[in-house]
Amino acid sequence: MSRSPSFDTSRAAMPTAALDAAAERAGALLSGRGDTVAVVESTSAGLVNAALQGVPKASSYLVGALTVYSLTAANGVLPREVLEQLGRPRDNYASASAYRESKRTFCLALAWHARERFGATWAVAESGAAEVEGLPAQLKAAGVFTALAVVGPQGFEHCVFLDLSVAAGVAPSRREAMQAFALGALEVLE
């Protein structure tokens, strides 16, 4: 009934070199300072955590990760006080600008929460939209973007947006957007 999985060697060439290199740089910086990091992802779906965890001796700096992709997941794993910081979904989805700002709020609130809960020196969080097609009409103008936040000691917080422009009339694929968002999250750690 069950079949052993097989590994297709042609799949080994997936575009992970940039993610791996960024994770190695971030890991070296973190471990070199004796710092730790917690990761919260949404749109990148665990790629940041996977890249960091793929670096040898990752357990010396990576303390944990959380993927919160939906309101259902947020309601299931976040305490009420964090959920209250995120605002009301109706307000967050009222317009493209409100949607983008809600992602900044989400990233900062969840980064602070993860840093505290995991006891990490730093936390990085990511959330956005990997494709326009799946967005309701009032949000399509937000485009393909993510908010990237890093928080740390002495109240340090930094949040930026990564917008993926349409080059030559071709939008990035969902997977390309996810990989770009993960790379951006790793780079804000540097």
Side-chain angles (χ1 to χ4, degrees):
M1 296 269 177
S2 69
R3 193 169 68 95
S4 297
S6 63
F7 181 72
D8 179 358
T9 55
S10 66
R11 292 177 46 198
M14 285 196 263
T16 60
L19 287 173
D20 292 345
E24 287 173 13
R25 288 191 306 272
L29 287 169
L30 290 163
S31 61
R33 294 188 306 242
D35 288 350
T36 56
V37 66
V39 178
V40 180
E41 297 179 75
S42 180
T43 317
S44 59
L47 292 173
V48 176
N49 180 51
L52 287 170
Q53 197 169 350
V55 176
K57 301 181 184 173
S59 60
S60 69
Y61 62 84
L62 180 61
V63 295
L66 179 64
T67 300
V68 181
Y69 184 67
S70 67
L71 182 57
T72 301
N75 286 329
V77 300
L78 299 175
R80 178 180 308 244
E81 58 271 12
V82 173
L83 290 170
E84 289 170 355
Q85 292 175 46
L86 302 181
R88 297 182 334 177
R90 181 177 60 217
D91 297 336
N92 294 340
Y93 287 80
S95 68
S97 61
Y99 181 62
R100 285 175 62 94
E101 188 56 35
S102 76
K103 297 304 182 177
R104 176 192 311 272
T105 301
F106 176 93
C107 285
L108 288 169
L110 268 67
W112 283 115
H113 173 70
R115 180 177 181 261
E116 178 185 328
R117 294 295 292 187
F118 286 109
T121 313
W122 301 94
V124 62
E126 170 282 324
S127 184
E131 64 182 358
V132 174
E133 291 78 15
L135 295 175
Q138 76 274 15
L139 304 182
K140 289 189 185 297
V144 176
F145 78 96
T146 198
L148 302 164
V150 62
V151 301
Q154 300 171 353
F156 177 88
E157 71 177 30
H158 179 67
C159 188
V160 297
F161 283 98
L162 173 59
D163 289 285
L164 300 184
S165 61
V166 177
V170 179
S173 71
R174 182 175 184 84
R175 187 166 308 279
E176 289 167 337
M178 292 166 62
Q179 290 170 340
F181 298 162
L183 182 59
L186 290 165
E187 288 175 347
V188 298
L189 281 172
E190 292 181 37

